[in-house]
Amino acid sequence: MLNLAALAPDVPFLTPGPVSFGFVAACDNGLLEVTGLSLPIGSLCRIEQDHGQDMAAEVIGFRNGRTLMMMLGDSALLCPGSRVYPEGRPGMVPVGEAFLGRAVDGEGLPIDGGPLIRTREYWPSGGRRSGALERSPVMQPFDCGVRAINALATMGQGQRIGIMAGSGVGKSVLIDMIAHGADADIVIFALIGERAREVSGFVQRHMDGERRQRSITVAVPADHAPNLRLRAAQLAVCQAEYFRAQGKSVLLIMDSLTRVAHAAREIGLLLGEPGSARGYPPSALATINRLVERAGNSAASGGSVTGIYTVLADGDDENDPVVDTARAILDGHIVLSRAIAQRGQYPAIDVGASLSRVMSDVASRDHRADATVLRALCASYEANRDLVLMGAYRAGADAQIDRAMAMQSAIRDFLAQAVDDRCTLGDSVAGLHALLAAPSAP
């Protein structure tokens, strides 16, 4: 049962006014209509049941004098006429250092078997809006620990970047590598709509040792209610904003942004909003924009939130509405290729299709020049790969293709990296220069 009062006993909570409870008047596929209780959107409520197992719901709208709510769990055994009581603080979520080293769900309740988290710190679930000029530009490089990204799509501190791929191409493995190798004060993992088995394995791998004391995991598997999945994403971003306000360098890893959009789509369609872009209502795509825009650097505190978001390309379609929206608003994208993965090269990064829009601001001139050369070599080889394999290409016809063919084995070795290996930014840049200066590269 949801009990936010136990999280912060000294914080004042919602006063419902003259009406202390309402009644469940209707339930349609998880959408509840409640009479006699007027509450703001975002409020949490407790539904009292005769069998003693209370339920939780969230206000998502109102219509014709009735309050619309969505269950945070299963609606099985919900009885008509059940009493609904308001709880908690509308539009606020618990944050703070008490969450460090813990794994929680979308309500801030522990899922790691530990004690209840008690905190007096709260943050607006929609964030504290700031002006565009209050965000400082991205000027410092961010070391993610992955050689191919550090060398060819260098990230910046405070950047928002997407990892885009179809299912089973290695997104989760790549974020594992980044989580192990990244240099940040605080690391926040948001596992939204993933398999419960992956959540358990992820917590076991990343919430141990020294890393545990600087990490927070917010996880809601795919079988949970869509509004709970959406609340988990908002809670993770709020935690990141809180620590940024303390002047910390925060790494926010959200897996996946597509599942957040799916949750927002379910809520929008349930409220009757028409689907416009392949079934996605406008509010679902707007949710992505709002979440992504909350990352970045703070000029006031000096802190930063570097956001890494995985984006699932349904059916390997790079023109999927979620992929297209994310590509337009993010500061860069890493594209994983199924063809490269099938060759056994991991991480399966498509060098030609991946880019960082802040690399020109955080990388040196020599580094950018070397990256451009290697990108051109990869593009030349991929464009003529079929001709080479068929034997239709004659050596000496094109010096660029000849060089790309001669260096292909060395390039593959450079781009490949074991899951448990870490390559610093300095080593990545030095390795790139050594690769292109080698005698085998005429």
Side-chain angles (χ1 to χ4, degrees):
M1 180 185 71
L2 182 65
N3 186 10
L4 288 182
L7 295 177
D10 298 331
V11 177
F13 286 85
L14 176 71
T15 301
V19 179
S20 59
F21 59 87
F23 297 94
V24 175
C27 177
D28 183 11
N29 194 28
L31 179 66
L32 305 182
E33 295 187 16
V34 176
T35 59
L37 190 61
S38 298
L39 295 172
I41 293 176
S43 301
L44 294 177
C45 297
R46 174 175 56 88
I47 305 174
E48 190 178 70
Q49 295 294 288
D50 294 336
H51 52 73
Q53 187 65 37
D54 291 354
M55 300 178 176
E58 178 186 5
V59 178
I60 61 174
F62 38 84
R63 180 188 303 139
N64 299 328
R66 292 187 173 186
T67 301
L68 305 180
M69 298 186 184
M70 193 170 190
M71 302 287 296
L72 289 179
D74 195 355
S75 59
L77 301 181
L78 176 67
C79 300
S82 300
R83 290 189 177 189
V84 182
Y85 296 88
E87 283 198 354
R89 305 182 66 190
M92 305 294 286
V93 296
V95 296
E97 295 186 1
F99 285 87
L100 291 174
R102 302 299 302 274
V104 299
D105 63 9
E107 301 172 45
L109 301 176
I111 60 174
D112 54 7
L116 192 69
I117 300 173
R118 300 183 181 276
T119 179
R120 298 182 181 181
E121 302 286 346
Y122 273 74
W123 198 267
S125 60
R128 294 178 178 171
R129 188 177 299 276
S130 59
L133 297 182
E134 295 178 22
R135 293 289 180 87
S136 56
V138 178
M139 300 299 294
Q140 299 296 324
F142 180 83
D143 188 354
C144 69
V146 179
R147 181 167 47 243
I149 298 177
N150 280 341
L152 302 175
T154 310
M155 295 176 57
Q157 189 170 295
Q159 181 181 6
R160 296 83 52 86
I161 195 165
I163 299 176
M164 303 178 177
S167 57
V169 185
K171 297 186 300 299
S172 298
V173 175
L174 182 55
I175 66 171
D176 267 5
M177 297 174 66
I178 295 175
H180 275 297
D183 183 14
D185 298 329
I186 305 292
V187 182
I188 298 175
F189 306 105
L191 307 180
I192 313 299
E194 297 301 313
R195 294 180 289 271
R197 176 189 60 81
E198 286 191 354
V199 173
S200 177
F202 194 93
V203 172
Q204 185 176 9
R205 289 193 303 273
H206 294 282
M207 302 296 287
D208 62 351
E210 296 181 358
R211 293 190 305 272
R212 181 185 182 93
Q213 300 308 315
R214 62 183 183 95
S215 302
I216 301 173
T217 298
V218 183
V220 175
D223 59 340
H224 286 60
N227 52 339
L228 190 58
R229 282 177 266 151
L230 194 56
R231 289 184 69 88
Q234 293 172 339
L235 175 59
V237 177
C238 288
Q239 297 282 2
E241 289 180 318
Y242 170 81
F243 286 106
R244 178 179 62 189
Q246 312 302 315
K248 304 288 188 180
S249 169
V250 182
L251 172 62
L252 171 64
I253 299 177
M254 185 172 293
D255 184 19
S256 72
L257 200 62
T258 304
R259 306 301 187 194
V260 175
H262 288 176
R265 176 177 62 182
E266 291 183 48
I267 296 174
L269 295 177
L270 195 61
L271 288 173
E273 188 177 356
S276 54
R278 298 192 189 180
Y280 287 95
S283 63
L285 301 180
T287 299
I288 297 178
N289 295 342
R290 288 195 297 268
L291 283 176
V292 169
E293 276 299 312
R294 292 168 65 178
N297 295 325
S298 171
S301 68
S304 65
V305 175
T306 304
I308 298 178
Y309 309 87
T310 65
V311 183
L312 175 65
D314 289 332
D316 290 346
D317 182 9
E318 295 297 331
N319 295 318
D320 179 82
V322 178
V323 177
D324 197 46
T325 300
R327 187 191 298 116
I329 194 173
L330 291 170
D331 301 322
H333 49 270
I334 306 299
V335 178
L336 303 184
S337 168
R338 191 175 300 277
I340 295 177
Q342 289 171 347
R343 299 176 203 164
Q345 177 182 318
Y346 290 97
I349 297 176
D350 187 339
V351 173
S354 304
L355 65 89
S356 170
R357 293 175 179 170
V358 304
M359 184 173 178
S360 59
D361 299 321
V362 300
S364 66
R365 179 178 298 180
D366 292 340
H367 178 192
R368 297 198 305 269
D370 288 341
T372 300
V373 172
L374 187 58
R375 282 176 171 274
L377 291 173
C378 292
S380 296
Y381 180 80
E382 290 297 332
N384 297 277
R385 184 171 181 272
D386 291 341
L387 293 177
V388 172
L389 294 178
M390 290 187 302
Y393 174 75
R394 179 171 54 86
D398 187 297
Q400 178 86 341
I401 299 177
D402 292 340
R403 185 184 186 189
M405 291 174 57
M407 294 184 63
Q408 197 53 219
S409 177
I411 291 175
R412 280 198 299 267
D413 291 342
F414 177 79
L415 296 178
Q417 184 174 335
V419 175
D420 54 352
D421 287 348
R422 183 182 188 275
C423 187
T424 65
L425 178 60
D427 291 342
S428 302
V429 175
L432 174 62
H433 184 73
L435 173 68
L436 297 176
S440 58

